[in-house]
């Protein structure tokens, strides 16, 4: 609104204008706030509320038990094992997925010919449903009929064959490998998008100055990816902390909870053990842990960024 | 411009609102009374037998419609739980009876069928009395057996046994000898797919039953005086299970293979494993998947344990396999019971028989040799123990499955496993 029209207003209309100005943010924000409260805030508070109950999730038989569930959680070895597994998954996601994704993105960005086919090929894992992938990899890892052990045997490396999903020492590693394989394409696309905004002239200028490919990569392109990297780390960490689907299909957290994730453990307590209260405690603890870890990793990646 | 746009949006929104109301008005106009019914049968033939009962019910009860949904095993458990939690559960539903059904009963969600059965004496008396026990709570009946009798037996490859000149073992010692011979011939004795933990549990349940008889478990589960999951019976069962593992009793990967995708049956088909302890429904699965191999399959009941108190004729399994119950909130209780009747009447039993499922009714005539063998074993059994993971309260059942998988993985001692069970059982009893 221009100055002139404001001055021409009467006192009264000016007052109502001010009131409207105060009201406007509330009106515009209301839909978002209502949506967030109904679908985010309320369930969040409700699940904290449930964590103080002993309830099977059916009917009215809920009993208030104070901090009993939380005490149980603190001494629940399976929960801490699962939290640790989530952390392993997060660390390996960042250490394995992101470097491979950056590498693929840079290579695909460089290669003009045939890169479209490669892009599609690399992107396929992300398009497959986790359930189909889980069944596929269950067969691939099958210790008796799966191709991995067959190939190892053919190569004369029988001693290297393993019970990939049935041995507690290998189940988590096998699952993490598949999770990484599935998610690399997502980060690759993220980095590809960032690289496409990288000015060609700079590369050309650097080439003229005689900079080697590796110099261009380390000195120019990688710094350019900083911001994307930070987003990617955050997404990978948060995604890993609440990972569920592929693990559920492949091992269901087993054997002996060796590949249990916090989310699969929560699922088991709520739906197999009928312990709605304790399951909600796990969910609430997950919320706290993820928030803390997200904050820490945001802080860390910021520091990492300033160091580069 | 501004005005016309908002006008247009208003119109659009009104349109959406009206469209949203349409289904409701449609439902009001056509006032069929709908009875929703959920089960966990997904095989075409089995679903057809269920629909046949629904069709006959609809014909006998004009104005009623049955909406049947068929949901795959594991998804079903979750879906049913959520539906009941949200008060959106179907009128009629099936379950395995036992612990999970009792959770629903305790929450007041299931209709007591005893008064109905008393009114329909002739119908009720057709069932074998023992068949109701998994669906009983405090003396009342909450579900009718709807699928068929299923007990765990040892399925074996007759060719391999013949070639190696071995006989189906009658005792545990003989079984261990068979295990030895098979291993010497580089054939894995048992195929086991224990990712879901219930297939491995069958070994533990049989051993405990053979060693101590069914009373030991019953007393421990019911928290009777003297009953305990630390009873020497359970510790001995754990030891024998671990002996079997150490003797090379199981094909590689047993704790990670997935039963649902045929992880264990594949081992049988390829001749890499000779035996499998599994519910008698396995005959049907094998016949469907590999009819050629099915001709080559025999079965024997779980061997006796020398010096054990349990009758070697005892079986584990269930006479109903699935139990059909009525949701207490269903508005059409009487009609729903009528549907239950059609689902378990003589015609239904006949159709189920064609589908290799034997409803536990008196005078069922069984022609299939495998099923006849199973029924003979059932007839001789003084006790049929429901699977522990279905019988126990769900939280305790989870501990049972966990500890059994750990026993099989040799990562826990039988004493530790027993102590864990007892601790959780005590905790639940004190609630």
């Amino acid at each position: 609104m221009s100055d002139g029209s404001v001055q021409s207003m009467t006192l009264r209309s000016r007052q109502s204008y001010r009131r409207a100005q105060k009201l406007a943010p509330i009106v515009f924000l209301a839909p978002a706030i209502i949506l967030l409260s109904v679908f985010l805030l309320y369930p969040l508070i409700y699940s904290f509320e449930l964590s103080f109950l002993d309830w099977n999730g059916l009917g009215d038989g809920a009993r208030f038990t104070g901090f009993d569930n939380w005490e149980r959680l603190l001494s629940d070895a399976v929960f801490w094992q699962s939290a640790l597994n989530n952390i392993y998954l997060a660390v390996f996601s960042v250490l394995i997925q992101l470097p491979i994704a950056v590498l693929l993105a840079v290579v695909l960005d460089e290669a003009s010919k045939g890169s479209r086919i490669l892009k599609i090929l690399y992107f396929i894992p992300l398009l497959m449903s986790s359930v189909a992938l889980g069944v596929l990899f269950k067969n691939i890892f099958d210790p008796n009929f799966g191709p991995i052990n067959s190939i190892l045997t053919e190569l004369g490396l029988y001693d290297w064959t393993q019970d990939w999903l049935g041995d507690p020492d290998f189940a988590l590693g096998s699952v993490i490998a598949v999770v990484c394989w599935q998610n690399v394409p997502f980060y690759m696309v993220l980095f590809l998008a960032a690289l496409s905004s990288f000015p060609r002239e700079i590369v050309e200028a650097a080439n003229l100055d005689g900079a080697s490919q590796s110099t261009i990569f380390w000195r120019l392109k990688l710094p350019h990816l900083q911001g994307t990297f930070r987003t990617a780390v955050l997404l990978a960490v948060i995604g890993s902390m609440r990972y569920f689907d592929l693990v559920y299909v492949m091992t269901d957290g087993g054997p002996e909870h060796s590949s249990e994730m916090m989310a699969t453990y929560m699922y088991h307590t709520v739906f197999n053990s009928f312990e709605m209260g304790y399951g909600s405690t796990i969910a609430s603890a997950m919320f706290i842990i993820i928030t803390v870890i997200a904050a820490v990793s945001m802080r860390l990646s910021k520091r990492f960024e300033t160091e580069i | 411009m501004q005005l016309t746009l908002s006008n247009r949006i208003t119109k659009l929104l009104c349109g959406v609102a009206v469209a949203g109301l349409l289904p409701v008005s449609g439902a009001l106009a056509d006032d069929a009374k709908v009875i929703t019914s959920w089960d966990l049968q997904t095989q075409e033939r089995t679903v057809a037998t269920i629909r046949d009962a629904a069709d006959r019910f609809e014909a006998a009860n004009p104005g009623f419609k049955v909406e049947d949904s068929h949901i795959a095993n594991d998804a079903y458990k979750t879906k049913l739980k959520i539906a009941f939690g949200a008060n959106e559960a179907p009128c009629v539903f099936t379950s395995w009876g036992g612990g999970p059904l009792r959770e629903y009963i305790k929450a007041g969600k299931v209709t007591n069928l005893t008064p109905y059965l008393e009114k329909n004496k002739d119908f009720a008396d057709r069932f074998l009395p023992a068949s109701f026990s998994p669906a009983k709570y405090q003396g009342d009946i909450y579900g009718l057996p709807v699928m068929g009798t299923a007990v765990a037996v040892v399925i074996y490859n007759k060719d391999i046994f013949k070639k190696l000149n071995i006989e189906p073992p009658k005792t545990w010692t003989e079984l261990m000898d068979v295990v030895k011979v098979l291993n010497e011939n580089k054939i894995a004795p048992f195929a086991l797919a224990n990712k879901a933990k219930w297939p491995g549990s069958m070994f533990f349940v049989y051993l405990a039953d053979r060693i101590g008889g069914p009373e030991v478990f019953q007393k421990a589960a019911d928290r009777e005086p003297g009953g305990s999951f630390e009873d020497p019976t359970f510790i001995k069962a754990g030891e024998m299970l671990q002996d079997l593992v150490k003797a090379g009793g199981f094909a590689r990967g047993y704790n990670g293979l997935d039963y649902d995708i045929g992880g264990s049956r594949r081992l049988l088909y390829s001749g890499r494993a000779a035996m499998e302890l599994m519910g008698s429904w396995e005959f049907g699965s094998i016949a469907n998947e590999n009819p050629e191999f099915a001709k080559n399959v025999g079965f024997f009941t779980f061997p006796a344990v020398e010096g054990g108190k349990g009758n070697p004729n005892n079986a584990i399994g269930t006479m109903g396999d699935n139990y059909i119950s009525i949701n207490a909130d269903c508005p059409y209780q009487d009609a729903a019971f009528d549907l239950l009747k059609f689902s378990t009447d003589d015609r239904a039993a006949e159709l189920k028989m064609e589908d290799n499922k034997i409803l536990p009714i008196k005078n069922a005539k069984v022609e299939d040799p495998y099923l006849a063998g199973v029924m003979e074993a059932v007839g001789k059994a003084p006790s049929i123990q429901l699977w522990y993971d279905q019988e126990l309260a769900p939280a305790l059942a989870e501990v049972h499955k966990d500890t059994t998988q750990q026993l099989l993985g040799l990562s826990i001692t039988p004493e530790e496993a027993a102590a864990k069970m007892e601790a959780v059982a005590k905790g639940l009893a004190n609630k």
Side-chain angles (χ1 to χ4, degrees):
Chain A
M1 197 163 286
S2 75
D3 269 353
S5 61
V6 171
Q7 270 162 10
S8 69
M9 277 180 186
T10 63
L11 192 68
R12 223 175 136 172
S13 70
R14 201 176 295 181
Q15 264 176 346
S16 72
Y17 169 69
R18 263 199 215 118
R19 207 177 302 137
Q21 219 174 14
K22 268 188 197 156
L23 218 66
I26 300 172
V27 170
F28 284 116
L29 280 176
I33 289 175
I34 291 170
L35 273 177
L36 278 178
S37 326
V38 170
F39 293 106
L40 223 91
L41 213 57
Y42 172 69
L44 195 71
I45 294 168
Y46 186 54
S47 83
F48 268 97
E49 214 179 296
L50 288 179
S51 76
F52 297 104
L53 300 179
D54 175 35
W55 186 34
N56 65 0
L58 304 161
D60 322 314
R63 227 161 36 91
F64 182 78
T65 54
F67 282 94
D68 281 8
N69 283 331
W70 288 91
E71 272 171 38
R72 176 177 164 193
L73 186 86
L74 290 178
S75 59
D76 184 347
V78 177
F79 174 75
W80 294 111
Q81 167 80 55
S82 67
L84 192 66
N85 288 345
N86 274 115
I87 291 172
Y88 282 135
L89 179 62
V91 169
F92 282 105
S93 290
V94 171
L95 292 185
I96 297 174
Q97 285 175 35
L98 300 191
I100 295 177
V102 170
L103 204 75
L104 284 177
V106 170
V107 169
L108 285 181
D109 191 49
E110 289 292 320
S112 49
K113 263 188 205 162
S115 73
R116 187 175 276 179
I117 292 168
L118 287 177
K119 268 182 208 169
I120 294 170
L121 274 179
Y122 291 146
F123 199 64
I124 285 176
L126 197 64
L127 297 178
M128 286 174 74
S129 100
S130 290
V131 176
L133 265 187
V135 173
L136 177 72
F137 274 94
K138 264 192 285 199
N139 285 323
I140 289 177
F141 282 119
D142 189 297
N144 302 294
F145 303 99
I148 296 185
N149 278 356
S150 309
I151 291 168
L152 288 173
T153 311
E154 287 295 315
L155 294 174
L157 298 170
Y158 182 79
D159 293 346
W160 289 21
T161 62
Q162 296 297 344
D163 177 7
W164 300 104
L165 297 177
D167 183 338
D169 292 340
F170 288 93
L172 181 64
S174 307
V175 170
I176 288 179
V178 181
V179 172
C180 289
W181 180 79
Q182 187 192 18
N183 287 307
V184 160
F186 172 74
Y187 297 105
M188 180 192 81
V189 170
L190 217 61
F191 289 125
L192 261 177
L195 281 175
S196 71
S197 73
F198 188 71
R200 296 277 141 198
E201 305 84 56
I202 295 181
V203 180
E204 280 160 23
N207 275 332
L208 283 179
D209 287 343
S212 68
Q213 285 297 322
S214 71
T215 314
I216 294 178
F217 174 73
W218 288 107
R219 292 288 175 81
L220 296 174
K221 288 191 172 168
L222 211 55
H224 176 75
L225 291 177
Q226 268 180 40
T228 318
F229 216 83
R230 214 157 64 120
T231 315
V233 168
L234 202 63
L235 284 176
V237 168
I238 294 177
S240 309
M241 294 311 289
R242 28 168 250 194
Y243 206 81
F244 179 79
D245 47 9
L246 206 62
V247 178
Y248 175 74
V249 178
M250 275 179 73
T251 63
D252 201 13
E256 302 171 27
H257 300 295
S258 61
S259 60
E260 197 80 79
M261 299 287 147
M262 289 188 286
T264 54
Y265 189 46
M266 173 188 75
Y267 179 87
H268 290 150
T269 47
V270 172
F271 294 107
N272 297 357
S273 306
F274 284 58
E275 293 179 293
M276 192 63 164
Y278 190 54
S280 302
T281 314
I282 296 171
S284 307
M286 268 177 81
F287 174 77
I288 297 170
I289 292 173
I290 292 173
T291 311
V292 169
I293 287 185
V296 169
S297 66
M298 233 183 318
R299 174 75 50 92
L300 282 181
S301 61
K302 210 175 226 164
R303 184 175 298 165
F304 171 74
E305 187 174 325
T306 48
E307 271 169 15
I308 275 187
Chain B
M1 184 63 206
Q2 208 74 353
L3 207 90
T4 50
L5 186 68
S6 70
N7 234 349
R8 227 185 278 169
I9 290 173
T10 317
K11 272 185 193 158
L12 190 73
L13 284 177
C14 285
V16 171
V18 170
L21 288 172
L22 275 179
V24 178
S25 55
L28 285 175
D30 157 30
D31 64 357
K33 298 173 203 145
V34 174
I35 292 191
T36 42
S37 162
W38 289 4
D39 59 66
L40 47 119
Q41 304 302 328
T42 45
Q43 283 190 1
E44 207 177 315
R45 262 172 88 176
T46 315
V47 168
T49 67
I50 295 168
R51 190 60 230 176
D52 178 85
D55 288 340
R56 289 183 295 126
F57 164 81
E58 282 173 2
N61 294 275
F64 278 97
K65 254 188 79 181
V66 180
E67 265 179 22
D68 47 337
S69 306
H70 314 280
I71 301 134
N73 195 339
D74 277 329
Y76 179 78
K77 295 181 202 172
T78 312
K79 197 175 157 87
L80 192 68
K81 175 105 202 307
I82 294 173
F84 267 109
N87 290 322
E88 298 273 332
C91 259
V92 169
F93 65 99
T94 56
S95 71
W96 289 270
L101 179 62
R102 282 199 290 273
E103 294 286 325
Y104 292 110
I105 297 171
K106 276 190 265 176
K109 300 283 187 187
V110 190
T111 302
N112 182 357
L113 300 180
T114 312
Y116 285 105
L117 291 173
E118 274 163 8
K119 260 186 259 164
N120 293 273
K121 264 224 152 312
D122 288 349
F123 169 77
D125 286 345
R126 295 157 47 251
F127 292 102
L128 296 167
S131 64
F132 289 119
S133 50
K136 265 189 175 168
Y137 180 67
Q138 296 181 342
D140 284 325
I141 294 167
Y142 287 85
L144 304 182
V146 74
M147 269 302 138
T149 306
V151 291
V153 291
V154 180
I155 288 160
Y156 72 102
N157 182 328
K158 283 199 264 187
D159 266 4
I160 293 179
F161 271 51
K162 210 161 138 198
K163 220 178 278 163
L164 301 180
N165 200 18
I166 41 183
E167 290 284 321
K170 293 215 162 44
T171 64
W172 186 255
T173 317
E174 284 177 30
L175 176 73
M176 291 306 257
D177 288 341
V178 167
V179 165
K180 209 170 144 217
V181 174
L182 286 167
N183 272 323
E184 277 162 6
N185 288 279
K186 295 213 154 53
I187 295 169
F190 280 101
L192 171 65
N194 200 31
K195 178 193 162 219
K197 304 176 199 166
W198 57 261
S201 151
M202 291 182 183
F203 283 92
F204 184 86
V205 180
Y206 257 129
L207 282 167
D209 197 280
R210 293 283 187 267
I211 294 165
E215 303 79 19
V216 180
F217 171 76
Q218 218 50 57
K219 274 167 96 177
D222 297 346
R223 307 315 296 163
E224 280 175 30
S228 163
F229 283 102
E230 283 182 288
D231 191 283
T233 296
F234 296 114
I235 294 170
K236 185 88 205 296
E239 281 167 6
M240 292 175 76
L241 184 57
Q242 295 199 321
D243 287 346
L244 183 59
V245 175
K246 288 176 196 156
F250 298 100
R252 196 178 193 188
Y254 57 88
N255 258 349
L257 297 182
D258 190 340
Y259 176 80
D260 291 340
I261 62 166
S264 50
R265 288 190 298 279
R266 267 204 285 226
L267 286 160
L268 292 180
Y269 300 154
S270 65
R272 293 201 195 194
M275 302 180 278
E276 183 188 24
L277 174 62
M278 190 37 72
S280 45
W281 60 75
E282 196 76 335
F283 297 123
S285 308
I286 292 175
N288 275 332
E289 285 174 357
N290 198 336
E292 200 49 42
F293 182 81
K295 293 176 197 156
N296 191 16
V297 168
F299 81 92
F300 56 90
T301 52
F302 196 83
V305 170
E306 289 90 342
K309 285 186 208 139
N311 188 322
N313 286 329
N314 283 348
I316 65 163
T318 151
M319 295 185 77
D321 195 6
N322 274 194
Y323 286 82
I324 187 166
S325 307
I326 302 172
N327 175 358
D329 295 333
C330 175
Y332 316 113
Q333 293 285 323
D334 295 347
F337 182 75
D338 212 27
L339 176 60
L340 261 51
K341 269 175 76 180
F342 278 106
S343 305
T344 52
D345 63 7
D346 290 343
R347 159 94 179 137
E350 225 171 89
L351 284 174
K352 282 174 211 285
M353 183 73 79
E354 284 168 26
D355 190 27
N356 297 321
K357 295 180 173 66
I358 312 156
L359 266 189
I361 49 176
K362 293 164 190 161
N363 321 316
K365 282 203 180 57
V366 189
E367 272 157 28
D368 180 90
Y370 288 123
L371 294 178
V374 168
M375 285 320 276
E376 199 197 319
V378 169
K380 276 197 297 191
S383 138
I384 294 178
Q385 170 67 54
L386 182 66
W387 332 102
Y388 286 0
D389 65 301
Q390 290 301 328
E391 173 64 31
L392 292 168
L396 191 54
E398 283 305 296
V399 181
H400 161 66
K401 287 193 288 179
D402 273 1
T403 50
T404 310
Q405 195 184 43
Q406 286 174 310
L407 283 171
L408 279 159
L410 300 179
S411 58
I412 193 175
T413 66
E415 289 82 8
E416 285 165 352
K420 255 191 192 173
M421 279 296 285
E422 182 61 17
V424 176
K426 264 190 194 148
L428 288 175
N430 288 338
K431 266 188 188 172

